[in-house]
Amino acid sequence: GTLEFSSHENISDNLSVKTGTLRFVQGATVTGNATLTSGTLEFGAASSISGNVTHLLTNLVADGDLPVGGGYAQSGGSLSGAGTVTITGLFEWSGGHQGVTGAARGATIANGGMVLSGPSIRHFRDRVLTLNGPSSWTDGSLYLYDGSVLNVNSPLDIQSDKSMSDITGAISTLNINSSMTKSAGSGISKMEFNLNNSGNVTVNSGELWLGYTNASGTSTGSFSVGAGAFLGLGGNLTFPAGSSFTGAGGLIYFAGGTSVIGSGYDLAGPLDLRAGTLEFSSHENISDNLSVKTGTLRFVLGATVTGNATLTSGTLEFGAASSISGNVTHLLTKLVADGDLPVGGGYAQSG
């Protein structure tokens, strides 16, 4: 059934919703914990929960601000509404929805950080999630819808090979204002967002792919890639002067669009173009092998390539004097050398 309170109520102990609908039209002040097993809980105005929230299959609608004094463990159900839910303790998200179709955009602020764990797929739809405390992503994928926003304001540690995947609607946005590190997992972690990095991204294990075919964004921060690891980029991304790419690892450009790296490229590992257009505005030193599988790789002021070059398809453009120390394997790529190009090894052209 449905139980409705027309005025603001003080619940001086614990609150539980096992099924049905519990509606507080003018909001409520809950002194204890909230256990949400199933059904619907609606706060029509500003409310508060002093204790912990255990959120199972209930649909929680917060149309006013809702501070939570303890932690918030969500394993199912949905959290929606126009209000801002501010969690003092840890936000443990192992399943369910943040945001639902047709609801007003609200926000979740995890002041105690967040843990994404468990194998279930989570859904993030037309909502803003801000991480203000140390956070980790240990398992499970996240589906992105309708221009959601993830703000990383405190360190985020990625310890899995799962993905945050764009599904439908406007592309969601990732704003990195602190540090984000892939510390574990030998495979690929994908984060299909618009990308704005003013902090630090570090890849110490496997591959971390940021961006998407139609993604955009400007990054003034740093990217560090450890030995044997790869950073992946895709979309229409801008990395102006002041941004930096350092470390012994490599770079994969994996998706369509046009991205421009202004300066500060100092990755010692391979450079691999697989789609789209990647342009370097300054003369770059590529300290390992270079490969062009498709798309366009453009060095406006040329490049010094220490390793070999494998040109499978697409276009490679050197706009000024350049060099390749190793061998060139030239298949179907269009190679344009508008400056002198000494090749230290052999040159095998078959297309």
Side-chain angles (χ1 to χ4, degrees), residues 115-271:
V115 173
L116 288 177
S117 63
S120 297
I121 295 172
R122 281 137 289 201
H123 301 266
F124 186 31
R125 186 186 298 272
D126 194 18
R127 195 167 177 86
V128 179
L129 173 59
T130 300
L131 308 180
N132 286 337
S135 301
S136 62
W137 177 15
T138 62
D139 197 6
S141 297
L142 182 64
Y143 284 180
L144 309 170
Y145 311 82
D146 301 332
S148 290
V149 178
L150 175 59
N151 297 313
V152 178
N153 294 340
S154 193
L156 171 61
D157 187 12
I158 302 169
Q159 303 171 14
S160 75
D161 294 328
K162 302 299 183 179
S163 295
M164 297 186 180
S165 303
D166 179 75
I167 301 300
T168 189
I171 296 177
S172 297
T173 297
L174 172 63
N175 297 313
I176 305 169
N177 304 310
S178 181
S179 63
M180 188 172 78
T181 301
K182 182 171 175 15
S183 64
S186 59
I188 302 172
S189 299
K190 297 180 181 180
M191 302 180 75
E192 296 177 347
F193 293 86
N194 296 320
L195 175 64
N196 300 301
N197 172 33
S198 62
N200 307 291
V201 173
T202 301
V203 189
N204 287 329
S205 182
E207 300 179 11
L208 178 60
W209 290 17
L210 304 176
Y212 194 54
T213 300
N214 296 315
S216 61
T218 300
S219 293
T220 57
S222 66
F223 299 85
S224 177
V225 186
F230 282 88
L231 171 68
L233 297 173
N236 301 293
L237 307 177
T238 302
F239 305 90
S243 62
S244 65
F245 297 80
T246 59
L251 176 66
I252 298 169
Y253 191 74
F254 63 86
T258 299
S259 291
V260 178
I261 296 177
S263 65
Y265 186 84
D266 195 24
L267 287 176
L271 173 61

Side-chain angles (χ1 to χ4, degrees), residues 307-310 324-329 343-348:
N308 302 315
T310 302
I324 300 172
S325 298
N327 300 311
V328 175
T329 303
V343 175
Y347 196 116

Side-chain angles (χ1 to χ4, degrees), residues 285-317:
N285 293 308
I286 309 302
S287 302
D288 203 312
N289 296 328
L290 178 154
S291 64
V292 178
K293 293 182 172 67
T294 187
T296 298
L297 179 59
R298 179 181 299 123
F299 295 98
V300 176
L301 296 179
T304 299
V305 181
T306 303
N308 302 315
T310 302
L311 313 179
T312 305
S313 187
T315 301
L316 172 60
E317 300 177 4

